[in-house]
Amino acid sequence: MAAPAPRAVRLKRPGGFRFLPSGRSILVGLTLAALAGGAYAAARQSSMLAVSRIEVAGGTPELRAQVRHELAELRGTSLLALDGAALERRVDSIPAVVSARYDRAFPHTLRLTVVPEVPVAVLHRGAETWLLSARGRVVKRIQPRTRPFLPRVWVPRATTVAVGDFVDPEGAGLAARSVALALRFPARIATAAVVHGELVLRLRTGLELRLGRPADVRLKLAIARRALRSIPAGMAYLDVSVPGRPVAGSQPSSLK
């Protein structure tokens, strides 16, 4: 006699809970979502969360004032309606700013923190001078013979120079980046140049520091710092282009 076929048994859900939401709960959820969306839209358009104060941290007082002035037209704009990416791009476009980040401090304050450009040299084009940053960016126009303790970087008279632009990365820009690495150098740097693709720093003592190709600059500067303590007086140059074999000489420079 054949065994009877197994019967399907319908299990009851524990506690009688339903796995699908009821129509009423769906309606309540949709209503709450609609109310929240309406409240958000209303807040974006109202003055309830409007910007009335702009706080800036980082940089000099002059730079902070410049940032506040740049963003002054945002006063009255709802904090919820701010385009954060556009705001950061706008502040980043200021020549003295590397980057910026913002924060909405409800109900009425816009807070920004800026990372400023670091001036490391004075850019010369004939008698015209500008501040040049560690990234090779032209920060601002300055009067000649100002900032006397910053190294000088020269460009040809035909070179186009505009505030906010970056100079030639293989020329004046490379010189600026090298000077930035030498900020803690014990002997002050008078000028920085790239001559035939090689870095040359002239110290205020008159000594010419030849770094060679722009590679391992930190290492070469460290070796030069140590070598300067022991080279004889009257030397015209110190060549550390080959870091393992620094050479000092008394002949005038042949790099022109």
Side-chain angles (χ1 to χ4, degrees):
M1 182 174 178
R7 291 186 304 165
V9 178
R10 185 174 183 180
L11 298 176
K12 294 184 179 180
R13 298 185 181 97
F17 291 124
R18 302 182 59 175
F19 289 98
L20 296 176
S22 66
R24 181 179 178 183
S25 61
I26 292 175
L27 179 60
V28 170
L30 292 175
T31 302
L32 292 175
L35 290 174
Y40 178 79
R44 282 176 59 94
Q45 301 299 324
S46 74
S47 61
M48 182 173 56
L49 299 176
V51 175
S52 62
R53 180 180 177 82
I54 299 175
E55 296 179 354
V56 182
T60 64
E62 177 186 2
L63 177 57
R64 293 195 293 270
Q66 187 177 359
V67 172
R68 286 192 297 269
H69 176 74
E70 177 69 23
L71 301 179
E73 65 184 47
L74 294 180
R75 295 181 187 274
T77 302
S78 171
L79 284 169
L80 294 175
L82 286 176
D83 183 338
L87 184 151
E88 290 180 347
R89 286 195 301 270
R90 186 169 178 177
V91 178
D92 292 352
S93 69
I94 297 174
V97 172
V98 174
S99 63
R101 55 186 176 83
Y102 76 98
D103 180 41
R104 298 178 176 95
F106 294 100
H108 301 296
T109 302
L110 174 63
R111 290 178 180 159
L112 294 102
T113 301
V114 298
V115 177
E117 293 279 6
V118 179
V120 297
V122 174
L123 181 69
H124 278 258
R125 185 184 65 184
E128 300 174 290
T129 52
W130 295 263
L131 271 184
L132 191 60
S133 82
R135 300 194 302 157
R137 192 180 192 185
V138 182
V139 176
K140 68 176 181 178
R141 181 85 175 261
I142 60 175
Q143 292 296 319
R145 294 182 294 278
T146 56
R147 302 292 185 105
F149 298 110
L150 287 180
R152 266 45 188 172
V153 175
W154 295 81
V155 293
R157 290 179 180 272
T159 304
T160 300
V161 178
V163 173
D165 285 355
F166 288 86
V167 294
D168 176 15
E170 303 301 323
L174 177 57
R177 295 194 301 274
S178 302
V179 166
L181 295 176
L183 284 179
R184 298 183 182 275
F185 207 71
R188 289 182 175 174
I189 300 170
T191 64
V194 179
V195 183
H196 305 312
E198 298 191 348
L199 284 167
V200 179
L201 307 180
R202 188 174 295 279
L203 308 184
R204 295 189 186 279
T205 60
L207 183 75
E208 184 177 272
L209 181 58
R210 302 176 184 175
L211 300 178
R213 297 294 173 181
D216 301 321
V217 174
R218 289 183 187 274
L219 174 61
K220 293 173 182 177
L221 288 171
I223 292 172
R225 186 184 302 114
R226 187 178 306 168
L228 284 172
R229 302 170 187 162
S230 58
I231 64 173
M235 293 293 100
Y237 70 87
L238 172 62
D239 190 328
V240 292
S241 56
V242 180
R245 296 199 304 272
V247 176
S250 57
Q251 296 299 319
S253 173
S254 61
L255 296 173
K256 301 225 177 157

